[in-house]
Amino acid sequence: MHPASHALLVIDVQTDFCPAGALAVAHGDQIVPGINALMDDFNSVILTQDWHPAGHSSFASQHNGHDPYSMITMPYGPQVLWPDHCVQGTQGALFHSTLNTNRADMIIRKGYNPAIDSYSAFFENDHITSTGLAGYLTTRGITKLTMVGLATDFCVHFSAIDAAKLGIDTTVRLDLCRAIDLDGSLATATAAMTAAGVKLVH
Ligand code: VGL
Ligand code: ZN
């Protein structure tokens, strides 16, 4: 059993990121039993939930002539345009029906700012606006994180790099993550995480 100072951070295991979801990650649902089992090893469990208002600026539907999975430049930098997903209050935004949410001490929602996407559980995509998670971890004395969830190359990737930058000892269990893999984004993500000092477990 890990001490309370070492938390399990479960990223965006939501219906829309699983097969048949609006932004389906291939085999996204396969990781759920392993994540539920891993919770038994942790005193501290935190979940994140992608939580967008309808008409969010990261949705391709809001940008005339731009297809889902294309890139645009937003005031805060490059942004992939996504299918509408994880809209607040919809079925697709719910956690996967078999994810054990009972063990969650904290559920951190992100992506609620209509003008800025938030891949990372710590900072929105402007890399400045905080979600509050860093303060929560500090006040609870959590200095170590194991991350699992969806998607490896977006929300897990950005969360892991921000955690490492904050000085948190960070491990990503790649076996309990699945990727979108857009134009080599998985290889880019694993290289960037390694460079940031994140430990990757295959
Ligand atoms: C995610 C794309 C858009 C993720 C969230 O959870 O990785 N990806 N919103
Ligand atoms: Zn999203």
Side-chain angles (χ1 to χ4, degrees):
M1 180 67 100
H2 297 293
S5 59
H6 179 182
L8 177 64
L9 184 65
V10 181
I11 310 269
D12 297 1
V13 180
Q14 291 167 260
T15 306
D16 269 343
F17 297 124
C18 290
L23 208 177
V25 180
H27 312 297
D29 55 340
Q30 286 179 353
I31 62 176
V32 178
I35 292 173
N36 287 340
L38 188 59
M39 289 179 187
D40 292 342
D41 298 345
F42 285 84
N43 279 296
S44 306
V45 177
I46 301 163
L47 310 181
T48 74
Q49 193 172 22
D50 209 38
W51 195 248
H52 299 302
H56 191 260
S57 59
S58 73
F59 296 168
S61 60
Q62 304 305 304
H63 303 266
N64 267 330
H66 293 267
D67 292 329
Y69 303 103
S70 65
M71 295 283 303
I72 57 159
T73 303
M74 297 289 262
Y76 54 82
Q79 171 70 46
V80 180
L81 293 177
W82 302 107
D84 289 25
H85 66 279
C86 297
V87 174
Q88 296 169 359
T90 64
Q91 292 289 317
L94 298 178
F95 290 109
H96 186 273
S97 61
T98 64
L99 182 72
N100 178 9
T101 60
N102 295 334
R103 283 293 321 282
D105 300 333
M106 167 67 150
I107 297 172
I108 186 114
R109 288 174 167 168
K110 61 183 182 61
Y112 45 72
N113 181 345
I116 311 180
D117 205 359
S118 190
Y119 295 148
S120 166
F122 293 93
F123 296 98
E124 295 185 348
N125 285 8
D126 61 1
H127 302 292
I128 295 166
T129 311
S130 175
T131 63
L133 180 57
Y136 174 79
L137 298 181
T138 302
T139 50
R140 279 196 65 196
I142 294 169
T143 55
K144 198 168 173 178
L145 288 175
T146 293
M147 296 191 189
V148 296
L150 305 170
T152 320
D153 40 348
F154 287 92
C155 290
V156 176
H157 165 204
F158 285 85
S159 298
I161 287 190
D162 281 347
K165 279 189 190 161
L166 289 165
I168 297 165
D169 180 344
T170 306
T171 298
V172 172
R173 281 280 303 265
L174 289 173
D175 58 320
L176 294 176
C177 297
R178 291 293 181 272
I180 298 172
D181 205 11
L182 214 58
D183 298 323
S185 56
L186 178 57
T188 305
T190 52
M193 288 190 282
T194 302
V198 174
K199 289 167 221 156
L200 301 180
V201 176
H202 292 268

